[in-house]
Amino acid sequence: EVQLVESGGALVQAGGSLRLSCAASGFTFDDYQIGWFRQAPGKDREGVSYISSNGRTVYTDSVKGRFTISRDSAKNTAVLQMNSLKPEDTAVYYCAAGTMATLRPIFYKYWGQGTQVTVSS
């Protein structure tokens, strides 16, 4: 079956870094766009970044210059490197796979279970 499993979430101080990983299985990884999304308490799910099947990357404005998305075909894994973290980055982070290159979560087909990122001030 299809699985997307996130790891790497933690409690970190403002200004610190985290590396989130998404391990994919059960589908043809290289054919799909991989997105990272986050949801804070009381807020809608927000698109953070995606990397297309051909390697194009897109970031929401609030994380540009701080976060980097990448993918490794040999490992069927996508990574979100997060630097200069801020308290407002606190959320559950999800990876997802879809056929459309977009930051809108409604268009993603497969989802992971989420990993908690907490940034303290």
Side-chain angles (χ1 to χ4, degrees):
E1 72 275 46
V2 169
Q3 281 197 87
L4 293 166
V5 180
E6 302 96 332
S7 61
L11 172 64
V12 64
Q13 291 184 318
S17 297
L18 285 173
R19 183 179 184 270
L20 305 184
S21 293
C22 175
S25 61
F27 65 98
T28 305
F29 180 77
D30 290 347
D31 289 345
Y32 282 79
Q33 283 58 233
I34 304 297
W36 283 96
F37 302 82
R38 64 188 181 187
Q39 190 161 25
K43 305 278 283 185
D44 291 337
R45 190 164 296 187
E46 174 190 24
V48 176
S49 180
Y50 72 78
I51 182 165
S52 73
S53 58
N54 64 13
R56 180 182 297 173
T57 59
V58 170
Y59 302 88
T60 193
D61 285 346
S62 64
V63 310
K64 286 179 181 175
R66 300 189 297 121
F67 292 10
T68 304
I69 192 169
S70 61
R71 64 194 295 163
D72 186 334
S73 295
K75 298 179 179 179
N76 281 4
T77 298
V79 166
L80 185 69
Q81 177 66 46
M82 306 188 296
N83 299 324
S84 302
L85 283 162
K86 304 175 180 180
E88 52 262 46
D89 295 319
T90 295
V92 177
Y93 282 71
Y94 301 87
C95 66
T99 58
M100 186 179 299
T102 177
L103 287 175
R104 295 181 178 180
I106 192 69
F107 294 110
Y108 282 76
K109 185 176 183 179
Y110 303 126
W111 289 84
Q113 84 290 346
T115 187
Q116 177 70 49
V117 171
T118 303
V119 184
S120 62
S121 58

